[in-house]
Amino acid sequence: MPIDADAAFRPVRIAVLTVSDTRTHADDRSGDTLVDRLTAAGHELADRAMVPDDPDLIVGKLHAWIDDPRIDCVITTGGTGVTGRDVTPEALERVADKMIPGFGELFRWLSYAKIGTSTIQSRATACVARGTYIFALPGSTGAVKDGWDDILSTQLDIRHRPCNFVELMPRLHER
């Protein structure tokens, strides 16, 4: 996709939330991968946290970050599968003003080329909540790479044409 070389890059302030019952900060490879990629792209890591697969704890952390003016965007990793403990999409629905269904659709379409029909087990999703973008990626490092490299790296770059999420940020609070 084309990048407008004449436009100035604008860093996005991104918080990263790992949702997992089994990982710790020491072995959070998917969170580390996401942080490495977003900072290498020139964005700011605004905050980082880890919570267990508990919808109330996920929602609580999301509300805190949504209300924080220092955070433009939240990217979660983990909890998007189909097991009983996978509750990240449900947590996003609880805070969302508007869902962004195309994000999950595109993620699964891109993922299909790499993992085939196994992509159907992903419930990657996204929303806007009180002016903050939230993107939920699966918890594998491969899924994080796919989500960042193939979608978010361009959509969170103001220079991406024909359009991107960053240029819409000033208008997210419109009614």
Side-chain angles (χ1 to χ4, degrees):
M1 295 295 151
I3 294 290
D4 181 351
D6 294 328
F9 178 78
R10 185 184 314 161
V12 177
R13 298 167 301 192
I14 302 171
V16 173
L17 179 63
T18 299
V19 178
S20 177
D21 285 335
T22 59
R23 294 188 186 156
T24 66
H25 289 287
D27 64 0
D28 180 17
R29 290 186 17 235
S30 61
D32 291 342
T33 298
L34 187 53
V35 169
D36 290 347
R37 279 175 153 64
L38 73 89
T39 56
H43 298 292
E44 177 186 333
L45 177 64
D47 203 355
R48 183 174 178 185
M50 180 176 284
V51 296
D53 294 279
D54 178 304
D56 293 331
L57 294 176
I58 298 167
V59 167
K61 179 49 80 178
L62 292 176
H63 277 306
W65 281 347
I66 292 164
D67 292 336
D68 187 336
R70 298 172 301 122
I71 295 173
D72 302 314
C73 173
V74 176
I75 305 174
T76 72
T77 175
T80 63
V82 296
T83 71
R85 296 291 297 159
D86 293 319
V87 295
T88 303
E90 289 78 12
L92 260 65
E93 289 174 4
R94 286 173 51 185
V95 301
D97 294 321
K98 292 186 179 192
M99 298 304 294
I100 307 172
F103 176 79
E105 294 163 359
L106 179 57
F107 177 86
R108 284 180 287 281
W109 181 76
L110 293 165
S111 180
Y112 179 78
K114 297 175 182 177
I115 65 170
T117 59
S118 295
T119 193
I120 202 162
Q121 294 179 28
S122 165
R123 296 186 305 138
T125 190
C127 70
V128 177
R130 297 191 310 277
T132 301
Y133 289 114
I134 306 174
F135 303 96
L137 295 171
S140 72
T141 55
V144 166
K145 289 175 184 177
D146 293 346
W148 179 264
D149 296 349
D150 297 340
I151 305 171
L152 294 174
S153 66
T154 54
Q155 280 299 297
L156 293 178
D157 188 333
I158 189 98
R159 303 168 301 169
H160 177 73
R161 299 292 174 249
C163 58
N164 59 75
F165 283 130
V166 180
E167 65 192 1
L168 298 176
M169 284 180 174
R171 299 180 53 209
L172 294 178
H173 291 285
E174 290 178 348
R175 296 287 172 218

